Amino acid sequence: MGQFPAQPDASSRGAQRRIYAKLRAQIEDGTLAAGTKLVSTRAMAAELGVSRTTVTAAYEQLAAEGFVTTSTGKTARVTDGMISLSGRAHAGSAQVDLPPALSLYGQRVAALKPYSMASPLARIDFKYGSVASRDFPTLGWQRAYRAELVKRGLSLYYGQPEGEGRLRSAIQSYLRRARGLECDTEQILVVHGSQQGLDLCARLLLNPGDAFVFEEPGYRMARYCFEATGATALPTPVDASGLDTSGLPEDDRVRLAYVTPSHQFPMGAVLSIARRHELLEWASRQRAWIIEDDYGGEFRYGQHPIDALQSMDTDARVIYVGTFSKALSPQLRLGYLVLPHQLVPVFREAKRLTDRHSPSWEQNVLASLIENGTYERHVRRLRRENERRRKALLEAAEQHLAGHGHLVGMAAGLHGVLLLPALRAQDEHKLQADSLARGVGVYPLSPLFACPASAANERPAGLILGYAGLTTQEIQEGIHVLAEVIQDLVEGLR
């Protein structure tokens, strides 16, 4: 019986790698140009004092990767058409002024001004959109997750793009109880947080050259989604009653209006009932869609949360956007849309093309928490906790900021806006920098306006203060530091 061929020892393998690496480097840097013949395997082996088999193995590896061409009885040579890396680098340097190879959509995204919420140096961070990790219902989530993991299906396969039926049924029941919203389960589309829902709306409802109504100021990430399609924002002012519907444009270009009626972002106004009717009538006349972002609808203090705008819609013009980011965690990335029936098929297919579906296990865990009442008990507890934080912020502002500014938008949601009449909008970034130098993170209001920066001279300074991620003690201490920063800046401007 024949023997197996001898395996190369460690020294042979090391020599083979060194020969391969040296030849490849010479090909890549142009030392061995395209078409150059290599030294024969016999001559190379003799020169280096290694076996011919070792050299042959190195050549074969180069050939397998396309660096050299070999054939029986002929000397190996560098593959024709091979361009050195140094040559490519030189060619690339001559093209640095050429535009990037992006689509028109990609170019519009690249042109958007980045806006970061990161304040890694902040010891006390009034970041809005942040929630306290200690508020997460850890035990209930763990119990439901373990129960979901032990379930065994016949196979693991992709889910439906619209989301797990169990979760959609749970959301339908919850919305009826908590938000006065009636819908079929078929109208619900589960998405990766409200941001994916907004992106789907932008891609499916807007074309380049269209226009959209947008609250001024408003949620910047939503505006970016819509502008990236090539549509034009039509900023519409907000006041103490929400979006000023008297200024809604009668324009054939307008395809949708984006609103936050339950707690206008960022100013906090609640859209009045009269304006809700006016907005719905306008959408019906224009045949425009209304995107209702109910990002913080559960959190209204001292009274029952206001019913959703969608519950008043008799013409199927409202797309309702909901999220679990504020009540559970923004890291969970679960939200949902409630769609008019005629939009359901195309939104489902667009979701399928985007990411197939949202995570099935997490959907069923959340469904379990809603079904057994854990989620609503958690929301009630969280509402009490955030009421304590809200009260601490109001008291701290009254104690430390009296005479400098006042808070608005505190009746609902998880943030307020501090308006500072003695300072201008252009002072906001210095306020932010000086506060951060003392360990406190605050966030300017101006980036949420769509109008030109020159208009900032007419606006008082404003800061957005999120409180859901802080303790009452941190809120008190942070506002005290902020008051000192404001005082120093005011005195420095005199």
Side-chain angles (χ1 to χ4, degrees), residues 182-424:
E182 296 285 344
C183 66
D184 300 330
T185 56
E186 289 75 15
Q187 293 176 257
I188 296 173
L189 178 74
V190 178
V191 290
H192 278 291
S194 61
Q195 194 64 38
Q196 186 186 43
L198 295 175
D199 182 66
L200 288 172
C201 290
R203 291 173 184 267
L204 295 176
L205 304 178
L206 289 171
N207 284 315
D210 287 345
F212 60 93
V213 169
F214 200 80
E215 297 170 326
E216 176 75 340
Y219 178 44
R220 186 168 178 169
M221 290 288 283
R223 175 161 58 85
Y224 278 3
C225 273
F226 304 142
E227 287 180 330
T229 67
T232 300
L234 301 178
T236 304
V238 299
D239 57 24
S241 297
L243 182 77
D244 183 1
T245 50
S246 67
L248 289 172
E250 303 289 339
D251 188 330
D252 290 341
R253 297 178 304 149
V254 177
R255 295 290 177 267
L256 64 84
Y258 170 84
V259 292
T260 50
S262 295
H263 185 242
Q264 197 279 326
F265 185 84
M267 303 307 294
V270 175
L271 190 64
S272 68
I273 189 68
R275 290 188 179 181
R276 290 175 185 237
H277 282 296
E278 290 172 359
L279 178 60
L280 290 168
E281 290 169 2
W282 170 85
S284 182
R285 287 196 311 273
Q286 288 284 127
R287 306 310 295 164
W289 303 105
I290 298 172
I291 299 177
E292 177 185 12
D293 189 345
D294 197 25
Y295 70 97
E298 290 99 342
F299 299 101
R300 185 160 181 82
Y301 308 107
Q303 51 189 289
H304 189 273
I306 294 174
D307 285 348
L309 177 66
Q310 197 268 3
S311 66
M312 301 171 57
D313 180 22
T314 59
D315 197 30
R317 307 309 303 173
V318 177
I319 299 169
Y320 180 90
V321 183
T323 181
F324 295 100
S325 293
K326 305 301 182 290
L328 288 172
S329 169
Q331 296 180 352
L332 185 60
R333 306 315 303 142
L334 278 178
Y336 54 93
L337 301 179
V338 180
L339 298 161
H341 283 286
Q342 66 266 40
L343 293 180
V344 168
V346 68
F347 270 76
R348 284 185 178 181
E349 287 309 303
K351 168 68 175 175
R352 190 196 307 272
L353 291 175
T354 300
D355 61 1
R356 297 294 291 259
H357 61 86
S358 298
S360 298
W361 280 335
E362 283 80 356
Q363 289 185 61
N364 285 319
V365 170
L366 179 54
S368 176
L369 296 185
I370 297 175
E371 290 165 352
N372 64 28
T374 298
Y375 178 75
E376 285 173 78
R377 288 193 296 273
H378 165 72
V379 169
R380 289 194 293 270
R381 181 184 65 79
L382 195 57
R383 195 179 292 136
R384 291 192 297 271
E385 287 297 312
N386 284 320
E387 168 62 21
R388 291 176 55 248
R389 296 168 180 136
R390 168 183 171 272
K391 184 178 179 181
L393 180 57
L394 288 167
E395 290 176 349
E398 179 67 26
Q399 179 180 354
H400 300 294
L401 296 173
H404 289 304
H406 61 281
L407 286 165
V408 298
M410 295 289 290
L414 303 176
H415 75 271
V417 173
L418 177 65
L419 297 178
L420 302 164
L423 298 172
R424 298 290 91 188

Side-chain angles (χ1 to χ4, degrees), residues 135-211:
D135 287 341
F136 187 81
T138 304
L139 292 179
W141 186 271
Q142 286 179 336
R143 200 157 38 238
Y145 204 93
R146 283 196 297 268
E148 188 62 29
L149 283 177
V150 298
K151 293 180 181 177
R152 289 287 184 266
L154 295 177
S155 64
L156 297 177
Y157 192 63
Y158 299 104
Q160 293 301 309
E162 62 267 27
E164 295 294 306
R166 184 181 172 194
L167 177 58
R168 291 186 295 118
S169 294
I171 290 173
Q172 178 201 30
S173 299
Y174 173 73
L175 288 175
R176 185 186 304 116
R177 293 190 301 272
R179 306 297 292 120
L181 192 157
E182 296 285 344
C183 66
D184 300 330
T185 56
E186 289 75 15
Q187 293 176 257
I188 296 173
L189 178 74
V190 178
V191 290
H192 278 291
S194 61
Q195 194 64 38
Q196 186 186 43
L198 295 175
D199 182 66
L200 288 172
C201 290
R203 291 173 184 267
L204 295 176
L205 304 178
L206 289 171
N207 284 315
D210 287 345

